[in-house]
Amino acid sequence: MSDDFKHHEQDRIEMGRIYRQILIDYGDQVNINFLDPRNLLSIAGYFISQAKKENISWLEGLSHFFLHIKFNAIFIDGKYLRDSNNYDTLIKERLFS
């Protein structure tokens, strides 16, 4: 059973690298949530909360839920980040705008 998710090892390593860099750069200025793409209930809850906060529209939330849920998907305040190398730009924009 320990090899069941071995094929996602690179995904976990990449997300770990991004997580550590965000902690180094921003500390407690940001809140990070890791959601398992197999746990649709927690993902739905995330998008509902983002829509209630008006970070995204309900339509955007539904679109992300059905089209962008995958390993290594990054969302910042409900916004889907297509290029994980640009997470820093969106975080700075959200923090300092």
Side-chain angles (χ1 to χ4, degrees), residues 37-50:
R38 298 167 295 171
N39 188 338
L40 296 180
L41 189 58
S42 66
I43 293 169
Y46 171 77
F47 287 120
I48 289 169
S49 73
Q50 293 302 313

Side-chain angles (χ1 to χ4, degrees), residues 69-81:
I69 302 306
K70 60 185 177 185
F71 283 97
N72 284 2
I74 297 175
F75 294 88
I76 298 176
D77 285 341
K79 304 274 186 206
Y80 176 60
L81 190 62

Side-chain angles (χ1 to χ4, degrees), residues 11-93:
D11 294 328
R12 287 190 293 268
I13 289 170
E14 177 62 15
M15 291 307 289
R17 182 192 67 75
I18 292 170
Y19 173 79
R20 287 187 302 277
Q21 194 60 52
I22 289 172
L23 285 179
I24 290 167
D25 293 343
Y26 302 102
D28 61 356
Q29 291 179 318
V30 297
N31 179 23
I32 299 172
N33 297 302
F34 283 102
L35 301 174
D36 186 332
R38 298 167 295 171
N39 188 338
L40 296 180
L41 189 58
S42 66
I43 293 169
Y46 171 77
F47 287 120
I48 289 169
S49 73
Q50 293 302 313
K52 283 183 177 180
K53 292 177 186 176
E54 297 183 355
N55 289 331
I56 58 172
S57 69
W58 289 97
L59 186 58
E60 277 181 292
L62 286 171
S63 172
H64 293 328
F65 184 81
F66 288 108
L67 300 176
H68 300 123
I69 302 306
K70 60 185 177 185
F71 283 97
N72 284 2
I74 297 175
F75 294 88
I76 298 176
D77 285 341
K79 304 274 186 206
Y80 176 60
L81 190 62
R82 294 189 190 283
D83 179 6
S84 64
N85 294 320
N86 289 329
Y87 69 87
D88 196 47
T89 303
L90 188 53
I91 290 174
K92 285 178 183 174
E93 177 183 302

